[in-house]
Amino acid sequence: MHYTGTIWRPPYEAYSLLLEVTAGCTHHKCKFCTLYNNLPFSFRMSPLEDIEADLQEAQRRYRRFPGSQAKRVFLTGANPFVLNYDRLMEIAELIHSYFPKADSIGSFARVTDITLKSDKELAALHEAGYDGLTIGIETADDTALMFMDKGYLAADILEQCGRLERAGIRYYFFYLTGISGAGRGEEGAGLTAAVCNRLHPGIVGANMLTVYPDSRLYEEIQRGNWREENETEKYREIRTLVQELSIPTVFAAMGASNAFQMWSELPREKEKLLTFLDDVIKNVGEDELRRYRENVHHL
């Protein structure tokens, strides 16, 4: 398989066929992010012949296990949905030719990737199988989005995800706990919940900010331009986000950045989840939580 560098996927894509179609990130400016620093280029589009060769290899591997099937394909790379409509349709055609029982195609996507497609193209991509995009919105706190150089604002999240909904494309959010900085986490969580409540994300997944020395954010901290939340603050922030969410969704915290793993259906399990978070805030010390953070050597 043509895999480049570390391959990242959401925890809930564990059983998907992972197919590389891009490598690196088209934006590559977020101050906190170090995920693609090891790539010798910021973005590469896989040749169609490499994609087809990988599908052929995957097909051979699946045939070794009678009865096993690839029901879902997840396109790897920081934001494969940036590819233009024609290329995405070519990839879908290849996938369906080798795995005709695959019923959906997912990928990571940036909010700005959606702007590159017309409403008609989004609807056609859905018909071709694109569904369940994972979007790292990080927050709907405009102050944090601008400081971190995310390249969009809360209004863009609302507009572009609304367009996905009208096209029938489901999507999942990643929220980055701690992105608003010390003293502002709960405010940022409230702003994010307010945006989510106007949309229909199938999952609101929380990751926790871990600051690494090779990030631009670390440099900002050293200059005194930004202060990191402590670990207990981050759990109060998560609690505020959960409390303020009023839509049916799944709240998840499944990545390695989270000291405690969570997967709860809201609103049915909200009170149970809030009780759990209250217990963490009250009974797990800052020192213990910080030790965990310091041992997250890489996400």
Side-chain angles (χ1 to χ4, degrees):
M1 303 291 283
H2 293 84
Y3 292 140
T4 305
T6 303
I7 301 302
W8 304 100
R9 58 142 179 89
Y12 42 80
E13 297 287 359
Y15 298 103
S16 302
L17 169 59
L18 304 181
L19 182 67
E20 180 171 290
V21 299
T22 64
C25 178
T26 57
H27 187 63
H28 207 61
K29 294 177 182 177
C30 301
K31 290 182 180 179
F32 57 84
C33 185
T34 60
L35 292 184
Y36 300 96
N37 285 1
N38 62 336
L39 290 178
F41 35 72
S42 61
F43 173 73
R44 180 178 75 87
M45 183 170 68
S46 299
L48 282 177
E49 53 265 30
D50 286 359
I51 296 171
E52 184 164 19
D54 287 348
L55 287 167
Q56 291 169 346
E57 180 178 346
Q59 186 186 62
R60 290 194 296 271
R61 289 178 180 270
Y62 273 91
R63 284 174 175 169
R64 290 170 58 188
F65 302 96
S68 65
Q69 299 176 10
K71 296 289 290 180
R72 178 167 170 82
V73 178
F74 186 79
L75 308 181
T76 72
N79 58 317
F81 205 65
V82 74
L83 295 173
N84 66 36
Y85 168 79
D86 290 338
R87 175 52 67 100
L88 289 172
M89 292 296 277
E90 288 174 328
I91 291 169
E93 184 177 352
L94 279 174
I95 289 170
H96 294 311
S97 67
Y98 287 97
F99 292 94
K101 294 187 178 180
D103 54 18
S104 65
I105 304 167
S107 77
F108 286 120
R110 279 178 49 81
V111 171
T112 52
D113 297 343
I114 305 165
T115 67
L116 304 176
K117 285 82 179 168
S118 68
D119 291 345
K120 183 177 179 180
E121 288 173 337
L122 289 174
L125 287 167
H126 177 245
E127 288 296 316
Y130 286 91
D131 196 30
L133 302 180
T134 293
I135 306 172
I137 62 165
E138 322 302 1
T139 184
D141 173 1
D142 281 347
T143 300
L145 289 169
M146 288 187 288
F147 180 81
M148 295 295 179
D149 286 345
K150 281 299 299 181
Y152 56 81
L153 297 174
D156 301 308
I157 299 171
L158 278 169
E159 179 181 358
Q160 298 308 320
C161 291
R163 294 181 63 229
L164 288 181
E165 292 185 9
R166 291 190 292 275
I169 298 175
R170 293 174 296 179
Y171 57 90
Y172 315 127
F173 283 161
F174 272 174
Y175 174 79
L176 187 58
T177 314
I179 191 173
S180 293
R184 295 197 64 249
E186 291 186 78
E187 179 183 353
L191 291 167
T192 303
V195 166
C196 290
N197 289 340
R198 295 173 62 184
L199 295 167
H200 302 86
I203 298 173
V204 177
N207 292 312
M208 284 206 172
L209 177 65
T210 305
V211 181
Y212 293 105
D214 55 343
S215 68
R216 292 171 59 210
L217 182 57
Y218 182 84
E219 297 173 5
E220 295 282 14
I221 293 171
Q222 299 308 301
R223 296 189 189 107
N225 296 331
W226 194 83
R227 291 190 304 117
E228 185 178 3
E229 275 187 321
N230 67 37
E231 298 303 306
T232 304
E233 281 183 280
K234 290 176 184 175
Y235 278 94
R236 286 200 293 267
E237 178 180 341
I238 286 181
R239 191 194 191 285
T240 297
L241 178 62
V242 172
Q243 178 67 64
E244 295 297 320
L245 284 170
S246 61
I247 53 171
T249 190
V250 169
F251 180 83
M254 303 294 290
S257 66
N258 299 286
F260 295 95
Q261 305 290 291
M262 294 169 249
W263 181 277
S264 297
E265 295 181 13
L266 304 182
R268 182 173 63 86
E269 298 177 304
K270 178 183 278 194
E271 292 306 315
K272 181 180 177 180
L273 179 56
L274 290 174
T275 299
F276 172 78
L277 290 167
D278 285 338
D279 184 63
V280 172
I281 293 165
K282 181 180 179 181
N283 297 315
V284 183
E286 176 67 25
D287 290 346
E288 181 179 346
L289 292 170
R290 192 66 205 176
R291 278 194 298 274
Y292 182 87
R293 180 71 45 228
E294 290 171 351
N295 283 286
V296 181
H297 298 301
H298 203 293
L299 297 179

